[in-house]
Amino acid sequence: MQLLSIYILSALSFVISKADSFLIPCPFKYLTHLDCPGCGFQRSILALIQGDFEKSFHLYPPAVPFLLGVLIGVSSYVFKWDRNSKILKLVYLAVGFIILTNYIYKVATQQLH
């Protein structure tokens, strides 16, 4: 049993280390040669999975707030909370504001990749 779990963990580690070759290309960047507001999210998530929080934040600062917003949204659906609550709308608005602010900062400081 322990050997199986070690095998599964090593296989998972191998797959995660090679996952960057399977990232989905950004159609917005392909067409306009500019970063979209979500560019860097996939690489940021991979860094989070690998435990490198600093690299994840550097690649896409809104990744963690976005994931928390998704978690709260899914929780509200699963636990049948009030989906029209002001708190839920405030969370969505805050995450959108963080994403927009990050994008404006990237454009203003010319940190586009």
Side-chain angles (χ1 to χ4, degrees), residues 20 22-43 60 103 106 112-113:
D20 59 343
F22 298 104
L23 295 179
I24 301 168
C26 179
F28 183 84
K29 188 169 186 171
Y30 177 77
L31 293 173
T32 64
H33 302 287
L34 296 171
D35 283 358
C36 73
C39 279
F41 180 72
Q42 294 178 88
R43 292 176 286 137
Y60 191 68
Y103 187 66
K106 280 174 60 172
L112 302 174
H113 299 106

Side-chain angles (χ1 to χ4, degrees), residues 53-68:
F53 297 105
E54 185 177 342
K55 182 179 178 184
S56 173
F57 183 79
H58 176 72
L59 289 169
Y60 191 68
V64 173
F66 178 78
L67 290 175
L68 289 174

Side-chain angles (χ1 to χ4, degrees), residues 55-90:
K55 182 179 178 184
S56 173
F57 183 79
H58 176 72
L59 289 169
Y60 191 68
V64 173
F66 178 78
L67 290 175
L68 289 174
V70 168
L71 181 67
I72 291 169
V74 169
S75 298
S76 72
Y77 180 77
V78 169
F79 297 117
K80 302 194 184 329
W81 296 335
D82 181 16
R83 288 183 224 143
N84 291 322
S85 73
K86 291 181 182 180
I87 294 173
L88 193 59
K89 290 178 183 177
L90 184 63

